[in-house]
Amino acid sequence: MPIEINHSRCIQCIGCASVCPTGAIELDGLRMVFHPEKCISCGACAKACPANAIRFIPKEGAKQEQEK
Amino acid sequence: MEYDHDVIIVGAGPSGATISRILAQEGLDVMVFDKRKELGEPVRCGEGLGAREIVAQGIDIPKQCISTDIHGAKVISPDGSEIVWKDKETTGWVLERKMFDKWLMEQAVHKGARVQSYTRVFDLVKNDGKISGVKVTHGGRDPYEVTAPLIISAEGMEASLARKAGFRALSTLYDVDTCYQYEMQEYDHENLIELYFGNEVSPRGYVWIFPKADKKANVGIGIGAHLETGEKEGGIKGATPKEYLDRFIENHNQLKKASRLQDFGGVISVGAPIDSFAKDNFMVVGTGARQVDPIHGGGIALAMESGVMAASTILRAHKAKDYSEEFLSEYEKTWREGPGKKVATRLLLRKVMESAKDDDFNYIFKTITDKDLNDVMAGKFAGPVAKVVAGRPQLMTLLKALVS
């Protein structure tokens, strides 16, 4: 799982969903849900999250992209 | 084919509510779906709204939706110098956004539109390759299909259905600001919007204080989401607006003693509108189409204005029974020739501002007057730029894009 959502920090602002290129995070009811099968490990959600509520664990192959 | 409705609108925010009100008034069968459990919730917004555009639309916002009137603005440079611009007239409002969104949708329902909350639209229905409806689930229960010859995405930033329909409604990190905001109390304000600039305060953005009733204020920050201003969870570098905002409050004489009543946040678009607003049987309106002011990320007024334009095209399409991209593009054309021009000018201003250093801000804010500031906000750059460049010619490099 490349990301973990910290629900006690999350303010349901859907910022992550707005920048996710593949629709791997969405608001379902009152909670953000993550669909790992759609995630491409780009880290955009974690970078954009204003509440620092997403823990991003880069994949080996995605490391370069994240460090640019 | 027999359809369930004339038009399906996804999203009951300001653009969806505006379009559905106008269409219902003209007798169309309009169905609006909103994924939120309660319309208007959660608020992710500074709640500011300029008066001019709303008065022009003939909309009379009731008292319970307005927290307080705004009578101007105060802009504060990194070294603390201020430009204050005051007006006897009401220049805008800080809304009770939750009440406002709900009220706006209620007006549409009064005219005959139908709305259904807590309903997620998760896919398109296609018939012979043509968009002919949506798949929805109400409160997470069994999905079902609803059909109409025209689907409107009024979804806001996420725009997931618009993306499914093939629109490029995805912002890069560079073209969004990541925002954190508190509703605070007590704050002695003068009914002015306060904006604090500076790379220490808020890189590629600013801190805002929007006054509210009863000595309350929305105190928020937006910074470029592409910036790597700190370490985030998991050890990556990224944008840290909350940390900047907390530091600003800690250094502010009054706010550091104030209470926090609410935390909210969001990601706002400060980039260009998407490259196309219409396809066969589908239109995108409002923030989803990035019809947003690139200076302050405000989308309410533009969403309502765009809603009026979209509704006018939809009425003609309904009459002609023609929902082709070609026909629906009339709305896009009207938009790009009207509000689109203003948005383009503001995008230019944003790009110039993001290259300014603190020293540039200090000099510019000392040199220009409140009248100049008004001109800048109205897109009239020549006078203010001439004044600044006369005293400091090297700033021409920074500012030339505004006058060429």
Side-chain angles (χ1 to χ4, degrees):
Chain A
M1 289 257 286
I3 71 159
E4 281 164 24
I5 303 171
N6 181 339
H7 290 285
S8 45
R9 285 189 178 189
C10 175
I11 48 176
Q12 294 89 38
C13 75
I14 61 160
C16 50
S18 310
V19 296
C20 173
T22 61
I25 306 188
E26 58 181 344
L27 182 68
D28 188 2
L30 301 174
R31 207 164 218 256
M32 299 309 299
V33 292
F34 175 53
H35 306 288
E37 73 284 1
K38 292 186 187 169
C39 179
I40 56 167
S41 296
C42 70
C45 55
K47 290 184 175 193
C49 175
N52 200 0
I54 297 175
R55 182 184 174 84
F56 176 63
I57 304 124
K59 271 189 193 164
E60 279 301 307
K63 212 175 172 188
Q64 208 165 9
E65 166 73 13
Q66 180 248 318
E67 281 176 355
K68 77 162 188 276
Chain B
M1 126 175 214
E2 282 287 306
Y3 292 101
D4 300 325
H5 306 283
D6 291 328
V7 180
I8 292 171
I9 299 177
V10 185
S15 65
T18 300
I19 299 170
S20 57
R21 184 187 72 240
I22 298 170
L23 299 185
Q25 191 162 11
E26 297 298 320
L28 271 67
D29 178 326
V30 188
M31 185 72 218
V32 185
F33 295 113
D34 197 290
K35 69 180 172 193
R36 293 172 293 182
K37 210 171 148 203
E38 180 175 9
L39 301 188
E41 282 252 71
V43 174
R44 319 181 172 99
C45 169
E47 306 185 286
L49 180 61
R52 198 180 313 153
E53 297 90 344
I54 301 308
V55 172
Q57 284 184 33
I59 288 175
D60 198 6
I61 304 173
K63 279 203 167 63
Q64 76 267 20
C65 301
I66 295 175
S67 181
T68 195
D69 293 352
I70 299 296
H71 287 273
K74 185 159 37 172
V75 184
I76 299 101
S77 71
D79 68 1
S81 47
E82 296 177 352
I83 306 174
V84 183
W85 166 67
K86 283 186 187 174
D87 202 318
K88 280 200 287 292
E89 302 290 315
T90 298
T91 56
W93 304 282
V94 178
L95 300 170
E96 288 298 341
R97 176 73 197 271
K98 181 183 158 183
M99 311 275 277
F100 176 76
D101 271 27
K102 226 171 165 179
W103 171 80
L104 209 56
M105 194 59 224
E106 285 165 18
Q107 304 317 299
V109 173
H110 280 315
K111 300 290 180 197
R114 268 185 293 161
V115 63
Q116 190 176 297
S117 55
Y118 212 21
T119 302
R120 206 158 65 89
V121 177
F122 64 93
D123 209 353
L124 293 160
V125 173
K126 289 189 179 173
N127 207 329
D128 289 334
K130 269 181 64 173
I131 293 170
S132 61
V134 292
K135 294 177 188 169
V136 306
T137 157
H138 180 200
R141 280 160 181 82
D142 293 345
Y144 58 98
E145 296 186 0
V146 191
T147 59
L150 180 61
I151 312 298
I152 311 294
S153 157
E155 300 171 276
M157 259 322 257
E158 222 179 328
S160 44
L161 194 70
R163 283 203 237 166
K164 280 215 164 81
F167 291 86
R168 296 169 62 178
L170 173 68
S171 297
T172 61
L173 290 177
Y174 169 67
D175 274 330
V176 298
D177 275 358
T178 175
C179 307
Y180 209 89
Q181 178 174 266
Y182 301 111
E183 186 181 28
M184 299 189 79
Q185 192 186 4
E186 308 244 281
Y187 185 63
D188 287 312
H189 57 72
E190 307 161 76
N191 285 75
L192 300 176
I193 280 178
E194 298 174 35
L195 306 174
Y196 294 77
F197 286 87
N199 290 302
E200 298 288 318
V201 173
S202 177
R204 218 288 297 275
Y206 49 82
V207 167
W208 63 80
I209 302 180
F210 284 6
K212 295 190 80 170
D214 304 321
K215 291 194 179 183
K216 287 183 288 187
N218 285 338
V219 182
I221 193 171
I223 71 178
H226 64 301
L227 298 172
E228 297 182 336
T229 56
E231 190 162 303
K232 305 194 81 168
E233 280 294 288
I236 63 157
K237 292 269 195 310
T240 50
K242 185 178 185 295
E243 286 72 7
Y244 274 87
L245 182 61
D246 288 341
R247 192 162 51 206
F248 173 84
I249 290 168
E250 199 46 52
N251 290 327
H252 191 287
N253 282 338
Q254 239 197 98
L255 289 174
K256 69 179 172 199
K257 292 173 236 147
S259 294
R260 290 167 167 88
L261 304 180
Q262 194 183 346
D263 281 50
F264 35 162
V267 164
I268 56 172
S269 169
V270 292
I274 61 174
D275 54 8
S276 142
F277 302 158
K279 284 185 193 298
D280 292 347
N281 310 92
F282 201 101
M283 287 161 93
V284 190
V285 187
T287 297
R290 304 300 185 257
Q291 293 164 343
V292 177
D293 188 310
I295 291 291
H296 52 62
I300 306 172
L302 276 166
M304 292 169 69
E305 192 180 359
S306 312
V308 171
M309 292 175 178
S312 141
T313 296
I314 296 166
L315 288 173
R316 286 171 22 81
H318 176 73
K319 219 171 204 171
K321 295 275 168 274
D322 183 350
Y323 302 99
S324 65
E325 176 176 335
E326 199 188 346
F327 198 101
L328 300 177
S329 295
E330 176 198 76
Y331 139 69
E332 175 158 353
K333 201 161 161 277
T334 324
W335 194 89
R336 292 199 193 271
E337 283 166 5
K341 291 219 164 116
K342 189 183 163 195
V343 168
T345 308
R346 310 274 280 184
L347 183 59
L348 187 66
L349 181 61
R350 179 211 118 191
K351 293 201 166 163
V352 167
M353 276 170 54
E354 76 186 22
S355 305
K357 301 193 164 52
D358 282 4
D359 185 49
D360 301 332
F361 277 123
N362 289 335
Y363 182 77
I364 292 167
F365 287 8
K366 273 198 191 75
T367 310
I368 67 173
T369 63
D370 58 335
K371 193 193 156 292
D372 295 324
L373 183 65
N374 225 344
D375 283 351
V376 170
M377 294 317 277
K380 292 180 234 162
F381 302 129
V385 168
K387 206 183 244 183
V388 169
V389 172
R392 198 176 267 197
Q394 58 271 40
L395 281 174
M396 193 61 197
T397 319
L398 173 73
L399 301 175
K400 67 172 181 242
L402 296 176
V403 285
S404 55

